[in-house]
Amino acid sequence: GKSKEKTIEYRNEEYGFTLRLPKSWEGKYEVERIDLGQEEEATFVFTYKPEKVELFSVTILKISREKWNNEYAGGLLEYMGEKDGRIFAYSIPTEISEQLAGNKKEKIHALVDVTHMVNVDVPRIVQTFELLN
């Protein structure tokens, strides 16, 4: 079944969460931390290494659930969980192909790869989000 699918763990000790990524991502991605200050504390951007294309990102917000509901719900960020006054959310890039539109020939396999990663893998990955105790 699906649970047999081989995965690798992404573990973020600083904010206390884990995600499970498909084994096929091994060596293909990197995670960059962007500090946003104040409300949006940090974003962890997962990128496709060969082409530096964004796959998805996890944003940690220092806001109440009420503020989330009023100002963020229904926007580009999707709620994942909350802990200690922080909301964890994710987003996926809106235009994948534009980031790869350069040299069409070399990029075609990258486009296929990235499209699959964003459309098929990411929805599964975000379901594996867990807060550490």
Side-chain angles (χ1 to χ4, degrees):
K2 284 232 168 76
S3 59
K4 293 259 195 297
E5 196 177 14
K6 289 220 166 37
T7 58
I8 48 177
E9 184 184 64
Y10 169 74
R11 192 178 183 91
N12 188 305
E13 292 287 351
E14 184 186 0
Y15 286 101
F17 71 91
T18 62
L19 293 165
R20 303 220 54 98
L21 312 173
K23 191 102 166 76
S24 58
W25 281 43
E26 212 161 29
K28 280 191 198 173
Y29 78 98
E30 55 195 5
V31 184
E32 182 192 358
R33 179 191 165 140
I34 300 167
D35 285 297
L36 301 158
Q38 291 172 351
E39 272 186 11
E40 292 190 34
E41 210 165 314
T43 289
F44 294 89
V45 184
F46 288 70
T47 53
Y48 181 70
K49 214 159 44 179
E51 309 287 350
K52 290 265 183 264
V53 175
E54 184 185 339
L55 297 163
F56 75 106
S57 43
V58 175
T59 297
I60 295 101
L61 300 133
K62 240 193 290 192
I63 58 170
S64 66
R65 184 69 189 268
E66 186 183 18
K67 191 175 169 77
W68 167 270
N69 289 339
N70 292 336
E71 296 178 24
Y72 289 87
L76 291 173
L77 291 171
E78 294 276 347
Y79 178 88
M80 285 201 291
E82 62 191 292
K83 190 185 183 185
D84 303 332
R86 293 190 173 108
I87 301 251
F88 295 79
Y90 76 92
S91 59
I92 57 169
T94 44
E95 278 302 324
I96 307 164
S97 51
E98 274 183 21
Q99 299 186 67
L100 284 167
N103 321 326
K104 295 251 174 4
K105 265 211 179 70
E106 299 99 65
K107 305 263 172 88
I108 195 74
H109 101 271
L111 180 59
V112 170
D113 214 10
V114 168
T115 304
H116 184 274
M117 289 165 95
V118 172
N119 295 336
V120 179
D121 295 339
V122 170
R124 289 184 190 160
I125 290 167
V126 296
Q127 296 298 317
T128 70
F129 174 82
E130 270 180 31
L131 289 162
L132 301 171
N133 290 326

